[in-house]
């Protein structure tokens, strides 16, 4: 007679551990379910963030482009912003410049200081632009043409204003050899001439005889320093 | 009977307790789900964002350099540096200083002109922003990356 111990042993151990197994299964189910719920909640949050981020980024990039573009009211040239215009921006100005930010929380900072803010865009996307911020200034100097009939412009400027004093005999003005003003009857008064801002321009003055008189030369350079413009766009308010 | 045997109806615990399979399954399940959740939590926070920002830095810096007067003769810093070996030598230090000023402290750069390059060696793996400017004398490329 073969007496097998295993069914007895098996029966015994199963009976002993049957309840323990049930409890372990229940605990395991609860724990795994709870962890899964937490994981799904995290995934949902991540998905929401993932769909919202590109929209906010596009809005922030669009607004940043509009603020630094040369043709906008806030910039003097591409990436050279008018500091006064930027500091006076309002939220309505931002909506007008970039309609995509309308209805969203938004913040613009220049050189670390907040310029305009609507709502709380914390958690939104921030786009940083490297710019120069400043303004266009006027610099003037008076020159006696009897002493020297050429004037080298000390700053680069897109245009110059020439104001001829009484007694000036000048007929022709050249900028780097190119005639910019000419009047056989003599130049008197004030004239605006366009010059190349990519050049160190030399003005030369000619008359029929000796060149006499004085001229006031005004230049309009940009006086700006490098800084950072930050645009942050958040959720729809 | 050996110590391993159990009498029928006996309540002696077996010497070799077996780990409850349910506990093992629970542990594996929890670890698995936590692993996946961890992937979401760490997430991919705006993966294209860093590269987009770097590209923006490069474009902005190049725009400003292409508009500024050079140290010596020439139209702009970029065109002077790209135009001739002498021009590059003259502008090289000023270009590097200007890029250090323009770009944030956390950003390194490399500028390459047909006459030579200034800046730091390109990194192998990081996201790198890049822009290229065409000048009359050739293309100038600017790379920027986070350090």
């Amino acid at each position: 007679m073969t007496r097998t111990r295993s069914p007895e042993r098996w029966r015994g151990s199963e009976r002993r551990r049957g309840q323990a197994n049930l409890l372990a299964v229940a605990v395991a189910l609860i724990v795994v379910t709870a962890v899964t719920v937490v994981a799904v909640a995290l995934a949902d949050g991540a998905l929401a963030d993932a769909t919202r981020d590109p929209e906010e980024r596009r809005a922030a990039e669009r607004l940043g482009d509009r603020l630094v573009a040369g043709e906008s009211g806030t910039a003097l040239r591409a990436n050279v912003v008018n500091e006064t215009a930027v500091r006076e921006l309002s939220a309505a100005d931002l909506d007008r410049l970039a309609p995509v930010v309308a209805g969203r929380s938004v913040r613009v900072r220049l050189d670390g200081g907040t310029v305009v803010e609507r709502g709380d865009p914390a958690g939104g996307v921030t786009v940083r632009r490297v710019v120069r911020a400043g303004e266009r200034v006027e610099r003037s100097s008076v020159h006696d043409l009897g002493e020297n009939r050429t004037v080298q412009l000390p700053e680069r400027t897109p245009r110059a204003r020439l104001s001829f004093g009484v007694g000036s005999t000048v007929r022709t003005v050249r900028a780097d050899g190119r005639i910019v003003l000419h009047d056989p009857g003599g130049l008197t008064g004030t004239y605006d001439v366009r010059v190349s801002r990519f050049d160190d321009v030399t003005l030369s003055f000619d008359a029929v005889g000796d060149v006499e008189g004085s001229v006031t030369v005004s230049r309009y350079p940009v006086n700006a320093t490098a800084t950072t413009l930050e645009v942050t766009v958040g959720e729809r308010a | 009977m050996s110590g391993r045997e159990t009498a029928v109806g006996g309540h002696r615990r077996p010497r070799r307790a077996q780990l409850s399979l349910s506990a093992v399954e629970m542990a594996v399940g929890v670890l698995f789900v936590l692993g996946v959740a961890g992937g979401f939590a760490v997430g991919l926070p705006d993966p294209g964002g860093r590269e987009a920002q770097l590209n923006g830095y490069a474009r902005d810096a190049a725009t400003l350099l292409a508009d500024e007067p050079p140290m010596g003769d020439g139209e702009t810093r970029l065109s002077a540096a790209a135009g001739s070996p002498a021009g590059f030598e003259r502008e090289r230090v000023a270009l590097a200083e200007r890029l250090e000023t323009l770009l944030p402290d956390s950003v390194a750069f490399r500028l390459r002109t047909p006459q030579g390059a200034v800046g730091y060696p390109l990194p192998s793996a990081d996201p790198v922003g890049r822009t290229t400017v065409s000048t009359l004398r050739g293309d100038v490329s600017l790379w920027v990356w986070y350090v």
Side-chain angles (χ1 to χ4, degrees):
Chain A
M1 178 174 70
T2 345
R3 176 174 165 258
T4 54
R5 290 195 308 259
S6 60
E8 288 177 349
R9 179 176 160 176
W10 179 65
R11 203 171 37 234
S13 63
E14 182 194 36
R15 185 172 58 229
R16 196 185 347 258
R17 269 218 301 275
Q19 289 143 343
N21 254 346
L22 194 58
L23 182 61
V25 166
V27 168
L29 271 176
I30 290 172
V31 170
V32 173
T33 304
V35 170
T36 305
V37 166
V38 169
V40 168
L42 275 174
D44 191 47
L47 183 64
D49 282 346
T51 52
R52 198 180 60 226
D53 275 351
E55 297 173 4
E56 293 175 351
R57 172 163 292 278
R58 264 199 299 277
E61 285 180 352
R62 175 64 57 88
L63 180 58
D65 285 345
R66 296 277 91 237
L67 286 172
V68 307
E71 304 83 23
S72 77
T74 46
L76 304 165
R77 297 202 287 266
N79 283 78
V80 180
V81 297
N82 183 331
E83 185 164 359
T84 311
V86 169
R87 294 205 183 280
E88 290 175 353
L89 279 173
S90 68
D93 292 331
L94 299 183
D95 291 343
R96 188 176 43 80
L97 278 171
V100 283
V101 305
R104 289 182 178 274
S105 56
V106 62
R107 174 171 60 222
V108 175
R109 293 159 61 98
L110 181 69
D111 200 16
T114 300
V115 159
V116 59
E117 190 168 6
R118 174 176 67 205
D120 180 23
V125 174
T126 299
V127 170
R128 294 182 177 81
R129 306 301 301 258
V130 176
V131 295
R132 291 172 60 211
E135 54 185 353
R136 197 174 286 285
V137 295
E138 177 178 308
R139 304 253 164 85
S140 298
S141 51
V142 182
H143 302 263
D144 182 0
L145 295 173
E147 284 187 20
N148 189 354
R149 67 179 191 82
T150 63
V151 174
Q152 170 130 31
L153 297 187
E155 301 95 4
R156 293 197 170 192
T157 175
R159 65 183 177 95
R161 174 163 290 184
L162 307 178
S163 210
F164 293 96
V166 173
S168 158
T169 62
V170 176
R171 304 284 170 91
T172 311
V173 180
R174 286 185 178 81
D176 286 342
R178 178 177 65 95
I179 293 180
V180 291
L181 285 177
H182 176 69
D183 188 344
L187 293 165
T188 56
T190 303
Y191 305 85
D192 282 336
V193 300
R194 292 181 62 86
V195 296
S196 168
R197 66 181 179 88
F198 293 109
D199 216 356
D200 300 315
V201 175
T202 302
L203 297 175
S204 64
F205 300 83
D206 286 314
V208 172
D210 291 333
V211 179
E212 288 168 22
S214 71
V215 64
T216 304
V217 179
S218 300
R219 295 89 54 188
Y220 303 92
V222 167
N223 187 18
T225 47
T227 182
T228 305
L229 180 75
E230 286 183 20
V231 176
T232 308
V233 173
E235 297 178 311
R236 293 196 180 277
Chain B
M1 281 190 290
S2 78
R4 292 214 188 153
E5 297 175 2
T6 56
V8 174
H11 297 285
R12 218 172 78 205
R13 295 165 122 241
R15 187 168 296 175
R16 251 196 2 197
Q18 291 174 350
L19 187 58
S20 161
L21 194 57
S22 292
V24 173
E25 289 172 344
M26 176 186 77
V28 170
V30 166
L31 278 174
F32 177 66
V33 174
L34 278 181
V36 173
F40 284 122
V42 169
L44 305 162
D46 212 358
R50 282 165 70 86
E51 189 162 337
Q53 178 65 79
L54 287 172
N55 280 328
Y57 282 147
R59 270 200 306 272
D60 286 341
T63 301
L64 287 174
L65 287 180
D67 221 34
E68 290 177 354
M71 293 278 298
D73 293 336
E75 292 191 352
T76 72
R77 275 195 215 276
L78 273 194
S79 69
S84 66
F88 180 74
E89 271 310 305
R90 238 188 346 251
E91 305 297 330
R92 190 168 50 88
V93 173
L95 265 178
E97 286 176 356
R98 191 63 179 152
L99 279 166
E100 294 273 3
T101 303
L102 288 174
L103 295 169
D105 290 337
S106 58
V107 174
F109 61 89
R110 182 172 186 80
L111 182 84
R112 189 186 67 194
T113 75
Q115 309 298 336
V118 296
Y120 301 88
L122 278 175
S124 45
D126 299 339
V128 175
R130 174 191 181 151
T131 188
T132 301
V133 176
S134 296
T135 73
L136 282 174
R137 307 295 173 86
D139 284 351
V140 173
S141 290
L142 176 63
W143 289 270
V144 296
W145 61 95
Y146 285 113
V147 289

